[in-house]
Amino acid sequence: MSGLGKLHGVGVGPGAPDLLTLRAVRVLEGADVLALPRSSDFGASMAYRILSPVVARRPEQERLLLTFPMSKDPDRVRPYVEAAVDKIAERLSRGLSVAFATEGDPSLFSTFVYVRREALRRLPGLEVEVVPGVTSVTAVPAVSGLSLADGQERIAILPATYGVDDLTDVLQRFDTVVLMKIGPEMPKVTEALTRAGLLDRAVFVSKATMPEQRIVRDLRAAEGERGDCFAMVVVTRGERSGLLVGEAEASLPGSFEKAVNEPEVS
């Protein structure tokens, strides 16, 4: 199919506007249509909140708000994805370029994964560009002073909102475990960490790099938290299997570097 516009999936990072990449800014400013996901028909777009301070607005650029409910039920989410692609495909068919702005990175637990798949199904020959963004998986260690991995260590990344029934097993098999989108699972997370003897090796971070950033190093103080999709827990076993086994970080369980400008709750 000729004459199609180009679809861009653009990661706008974890929250701080100055973490957008130069490429992200260029693509977002140059697109004919800025597609902005939101969680309800009456809510604001978090992606737009992140990008708006650094992306220049062109009067002729369309801002297209698209609703994607926060749900794990495919039957509930699918109609919204299809409705969003209806609007995006109509504009692409007119030769307009569409930049879909997504929090974090477009390839990691992003609605863009579904949008891209459906758009390619409907529009054979569609050109798609993915602009990677800084993810919360790397932003959380940055603000909390953690190291994710050294040498041969293994990392597991899990969406906690889908349940943590296998967390105990995962904690035994991986050196670092990143639990994204904590949601209401915090009590179960705390329970699993306590059983594994790793409660003191975990850090809770909410809204990393945002003005509302919150860091809790003693998870007992966060046990009653009802996290959201911006809340994460990172667990580092401290039994280093990397190149420098037995170095300072391994010998100081529960001790972490102090991050700069860190709003901390203990």
Side-chain angles (χ1 to χ4, degrees):
M1 185 181 293
S2 61
L4 286 175
K6 187 175 181 179
L7 175 62
H8 307 263
V10 184
V12 300
D18 57 355
L19 286 177
L20 265 77
T21 66
L22 294 174
R23 181 179 295 184
V25 172
R26 174 176 59 79
V27 170
L28 291 167
E29 289 181 344
D32 298 311
V33 180
L34 199 55
L36 303 168
R38 57 183 179 177
S39 59
S40 75
D41 291 337
F42 307 102
S45 168
M46 177 59 73
Y48 187 69
R49 172 187 163 184
I50 294 170
L51 68 87
S52 58
V54 294
V55 174
R57 175 78 195 280
R58 296 183 5 250
E60 67 273 21
Q61 184 183 61
E62 179 187 3
R63 281 189 293 176
L64 177 63
L65 289 168
L66 302 169
T67 299
F68 300 95
M70 303 294 289
S71 173
K72 296 180 288 186
D73 181 359
D75 291 334
R76 183 165 193 276
V77 174
R78 187 175 294 108
Y80 286 92
V81 172
E82 292 175 352
V85 176
D86 284 345
K87 296 175 182 179
I88 292 172
E90 189 276 328
R91 287 154 177 83
L92 291 170
S93 296
R94 287 193 279 124
L96 300 177
S97 60
V98 178
F100 187 102
T102 179
E103 302 144 25
D105 182 274
S107 302
L108 183 65
F109 298 130
S110 168
T111 306
F112 181 71
V113 173
Y114 308 120
V115 169
R116 175 184 183 175
R117 185 182 301 147
E118 179 64 13
L120 286 170
R121 187 187 69 81
R122 295 190 194 184
L123 302 171
L126 174 66
E127 185 179 0
V128 180
E129 177 189 11
V130 173
V131 180
V134 176
T135 73
S136 56
V137 173
T138 51
V140 164
V143 302
S144 60
L146 291 168
S147 297
L148 280 181
D150 171 27
Q152 300 176 35
E153 291 173 328
R154 299 192 304 165
I155 301 172
I157 302 172
L158 307 176
T161 48
Y162 284 83
V164 293
D165 294 339
D166 60 346
L167 180 55
T168 301
D169 178 58
V170 172
L171 288 167
Q172 291 174 347
R173 294 190 294 114
F174 290 87
D175 303 286
T176 299
V177 176
V178 179
L179 291 164
M180 300 180 66
K181 304 176 184 292
I182 289 296
E185 301 295 333
M186 195 63 196
K188 293 181 181 178
V189 170
T190 304
E191 180 183 347
L193 291 173
T194 301
R195 287 199 308 267
L198 292 171
L199 193 62
D200 292 332
R201 297 298 307 177
V203 176
F204 172 92
V205 182
S206 176
K207 298 185 177 179
T209 79
M210 299 184 193
E212 307 92 336
Q213 173 181 296
R214 184 165 178 257
I215 300 173
V216 183
R217 299 198 186 277
D218 183 355
L219 256 65
R220 297 169 188 84
E223 191 170 5
E225 290 271 355
R226 179 179 172 84
D228 52 29
C229 62
F230 298 102
M232 293 175 54
V233 170
V234 179
V235 189
T236 55
R237 294 185 62 87
E239 301 164 2
R240 298 326 223 175
S241 58
L243 299 178
L244 301 177
V245 179
E247 290 295 321
E249 193 175 41
S251 63
L252 294 174
S255 175
F256 305 94
E257 296 176 48
K258 186 74 172 177
V260 178
N261 298 325
E262 175 189 307
E264 182 176 339
V265 178
S266 58

